[in-house]
Amino acid sequence: MNSDATAILNALLNLTAENEVVEFKEAKNGYDFTKLGKYFSALSNEANLKRQRSAWLVFGVKDNRQVVGSQFRPARKDLDSLKLEILDMDYARLLARTQDLTLSEVVALDKVQKRHPLTDDDERRLKARGLIEGRKPNFYIAKSVAQQTDQKASYSKNKAFDNQYYLDLICKAIKEHGSLSRKDIDELLWNKLPDWMDLKQKKSKVGNLISELRKAGTISNQGTFKEPKWVLLKPV
């Protein structure tokens, strides 16, 4: 620990008790992430209200100010990353300015934009207020929030187009080129599928779209199972 950090710690330990901008936590080997988020938010808000430059959440110290040490994120870079992992303060302030939200809702929406899992309580509250859309675990911020936080493009990327859009796209591309392979169709649709989908989900979605067109008698595979060659059977 450098001399500046030692001086700050000694000053905090010499306080008569914890206060609105200083919290001590033993955190011997770890600490609950949800609680950390709440402490970060509360301490930051109090520091702003009191016009303080800093607030302190000190690990490895008991409530009685006894120093016991902590193995929670011993590497400095991992500890520093907590601020970004727990709460994006710029995003939180933007939400606070544009929405009538509670602190817990701000923290939960920050989780959504970072694609962190929500608790059942978070999910229930955000859904009840219409602040999120999508299905568990792939929630994304609702249109009303996106429009007020400059995230319109992100919202549109997350919200899937209806199936007919994708079906028409496949048919028009086949008509233009005469035939398409599965790889061609994947490349055609990949970047147009919602951002929340992972590789497996995108593969499954494209497969389902092809199957829907095949069952409707719109396209047919004139190739093989391993190397399909999809052609149109009906004009589009």
Side-chain angles (χ1 to χ4, degrees):
M1 185 182 294
N2 62 41
S3 58
D4 288 343
T6 300
I8 292 170
L9 177 59
N10 287 334
L12 296 176
L13 292 173
N14 284 328
L15 294 172
T16 56
E18 295 173 312
N19 56 44
E20 292 88 346
V21 293
V22 178
E23 281 282 346
F24 297 121
K25 296 298 169 191
E26 183 174 356
K28 192 171 184 179
N29 295 302
Y31 201 74
D32 181 82
F33 219 69
T34 300
K35 290 181 180 178
L36 275 176
K38 291 178 180 178
Y39 275 118
F40 266 57
S41 298
L43 289 167
S44 297
N45 287 337
E46 287 295 338
N48 284 331
L49 289 172
K50 295 181 179 299
R51 300 185 183 280
Q52 298 287 321
R53 292 184 60 188
S54 305
W56 301 95
L57 179 58
V58 184
F59 298 130
V61 179
K62 290 185 175 182
D63 291 342
N64 63 4
R65 300 189 302 289
Q66 177 188 355
V67 178
V68 293
S70 172
Q71 290 302 310
F72 179 51
R73 300 208 179 194
R76 176 60 186 266
K77 63 181 179 63
D78 294 332
L79 192 61
D80 287 344
S81 72
L82 271 176
K83 289 181 287 185
L84 293 178
E85 291 177 42
I86 292 175
L87 187 65
D88 181 333
M89 292 307 299
D90 289 336
Y91 185 64
R93 291 188 185 101
L94 191 58
L95 285 170
R97 286 200 303 268
T98 58
Q99 295 277 338
D100 179 21
L101 302 172
T102 65
L103 177 58
S104 59
E105 288 168 344
V106 169
V107 173
L109 284 170
D110 187 57
K111 289 181 187 176
V112 173
Q113 69 137 355
K114 291 174 178 172
R115 304 205 184 284
H116 290 173
L118 294 176
T119 66
D120 290 341
D121 284 343
D122 287 339
E123 178 185 336
R124 188 162 44 250
R125 282 186 285 105
L126 295 183
K127 277 186 172 180
R129 293 203 57 191
L131 297 172
I132 56 173
E133 298 178 24
R135 296 180 180 179
K136 189 175 185 176
N138 301 308
F139 295 118
Y140 51 92
I141 59 171
K143 182 168 69 173
S144 60
V145 179
Q147 289 175 339
Q148 297 185 59
T149 54
D150 297 325
Q151 292 181 296
K152 296 175 185 177
S154 177
Y155 172 82
S156 294
K157 288 179 181 178
N158 279 314
K159 188 173 178 64
F161 295 103
D162 60 40
N163 271 8
Q164 194 58 50
Y165 168 83
Y166 299 117
L167 298 174
D168 289 344
L169 205 57
I170 294 171
C171 290
K172 288 177 182 177
I174 293 176
K175 182 179 181 181
E176 183 174 11
H177 299 290
S179 66
L180 291 179
S181 66
R182 171 59 193 258
K183 180 183 177 183
D184 292 329
I185 298 175
D186 282 346
E187 291 179 355
L188 174 69
L189 301 182
W190 214 252
N191 291 333
K192 296 175 177 62
L193 293 169
D195 276 1
W196 57 261
M197 284 186 171
D198 59 24
L199 179 65
K200 183 178 179 181
Q201 289 169 318
K202 287 186 175 184
K203 282 282 188 184
S204 177
K205 177 68 174 179
V206 174
N208 289 339
L209 291 166
I210 293 172
S211 180
E212 184 174 340
L213 288 171
R214 178 184 59 78
K215 290 177 180 178
T218 305
I219 63 174
S220 175
N221 180 13
Q222 301 297 308
T224 64
F225 179 77
K226 287 188 175 181
E227 295 184 8
K229 179 181 178 182
W230 295 101
V231 299
L232 281 176
L233 295 180
K234 294 180 180 179
V236 292

